[in-house]
Amino acid sequence: MHDDDIANIMRALGHPVRLSILRFLASQQQRECCCGDVTESLPLAQSTVSQHIKVLLDAGLIERKPHGTRNRYMIRQDRLAELGTAFGGLIEGLNLRAPHKEAEPA
Amino acid sequence: MHDDDIANIMRALGHPVRLSILRFLASQQQRECCCGDVTESLPLAQSTVSQHIKVLLDAGLIERKPHGTRNRYMIRQDRLAELGTAFGGLIEGLNLRAPHKEAEPA
DNA sequence: AGATTTGATCGGTGAATGGCGATGAACATG
DNA sequence: CATGTTCATCGCCATTCACCGATCAAATCT
């Protein structure tokens, strides 16, 4: 993953409402979970929620599955794992690069 | 760490320039590393870089240490570790709450 | 003291973001 | 076909962001 991608995803995660949406989806994942459900769980207008959902979609963090007149959303676990790896790599890379001592015991 | 804090840090990380700055600091950590150095490593004006640095400062990701007429910056490893933990928890929490083994109710 | 260097901050500008209500497409159902 | 649902999208507006040049305070060096 490139820095731009990481930054993109981070920005998508950089809003409390979007975190709430993800958490809500996670808690409901087994069931149907449409935009209306998410909207009900938040003090925001439907259009606003839809907009946030779009951001998460564009970041590839969730997935849309049309289902009749409503859309079912679910978290993309694969991407989440990918992100976890990338983020771990980022943190790792930000660690002290040149150990001024012996490396920590493995 | 609450969602607001996480979102805050995510937003700070949600810009490629800020990632670059962090990486640069990481690569230079043992040496002196002032705003000018960072600016030289980027195609941006000094004021812009200073702004980005401020964002990272406010997010608690870096630390400023005045040193003569210049300021030395360094990554806050403690906060980085903290963030790693919080992020891991976030990903964990976003995982399927119910095991997808087989005990999956309809 | 005067000159120089560093870098944070100010003011301004254009783009992006976050919020809303309204509209309209797509689908189900009477 | 008509009606009702769902929800993505479209203005619209206020706020924030990203960038810049200019300025100014503080520390350092003649």
Side-chain angles (χ1 to χ4, degrees):
Chain A
M1 258 206 238
H2 212 275
D3 263 14
D4 279 346
D5 307 312
I6 296 184
N8 231 7
I9 297 182
M10 291 299 170
R11 216 175 7 176
L13 292 177
H15 195 291
V17 165
R18 260 146 14 213
L19 290 182
S20 297
I21 293 178
L22 286 177
R23 287 197 205 280
F24 181 78
L25 287 183
S27 73
Q28 302 280 323
Q29 192 134 33
Q30 309 306 68
R31 327 176 175 219
E32 58 210 73
C33 200
C34 60
C35 179
D37 296 332
V38 180
T39 301
E40 272 182 20
S41 79
L42 292 169
L44 292 172
Q46 177 266 322
S47 56
T48 304
V49 172
S50 192
Q51 199 68 11
H52 281 298
I53 284 179
K54 181 165 168 40
V55 173
L56 292 173
L57 267 176
D58 289 346
L61 290 171
I62 63 177
E63 162 182 31
R64 164 160 52 200
K65 192 168 65 172
H67 193 260
T69 159
R70 57 187 75 189
N71 291 325
R72 183 170 305 178
Y73 290 100
M74 50 177 51
I75 292 184
R76 286 189 53 182
Q77 301 289 337
D78 56 333
R79 288 280 289 169
L80 221 57
E82 215 179 310
L83 172 61
T85 304
F87 191 78
L90 174 66
I91 297 265
E92 180 77 19
L94 291 184
N95 235 332
L96 280 171
R97 196 145 305 179
H100 43 303
K101 278 198 171 185
E102 303 264 324
E104 58 258 44
Chain B
M1 261 207 229
H2 292 83
D3 267 11
D4 279 345
D5 305 314
I6 296 184
N8 230 8
I9 296 182
M10 291 300 169
R11 218 177 15 197
L13 291 176
H15 196 291
V17 166
R18 249 119 55 188
L19 290 181
S20 297
I21 292 177
L22 287 177
R23 286 197 203 281
F24 180 78
L25 287 183
S27 74
Q28 302 280 326
Q29 191 134 33
Q30 309 306 69
R31 325 173 177 226
E32 59 210 70
C33 199
C34 59
C35 178
D37 297 332
V38 180
T39 301
E40 272 182 21
S41 78
L42 293 168
L44 292 172
Q46 177 265 322
S47 55
T48 304
V49 173
S50 192
Q51 281 284 66
H52 281 299
I53 284 179
K54 180 166 171 39
V55 173
L56 293 172
L57 267 176
D58 288 346
L61 290 170
I62 63 177
E63 163 182 30
R64 164 159 54 199
K65 193 169 63 173
H67 193 261
T69 159
R70 54 188 78 189
N71 291 325
R72 183 171 304 178
Y73 290 100
M74 48 177 52
I75 292 185
R76 286 189 53 182
Q77 301 288 338
D78 56 333
R79 289 279 289 169
L80 221 58
E82 215 178 311
L83 172 62
T85 304
F87 190 79
L90 174 67
I91 298 264
E92 180 76 20
L94 291 185
N95 234 333
L96 280 173
R97 208 139 294 185
H100 44 293
K101 272 277 195 166
E102 59 183 78
E104 188 166 310

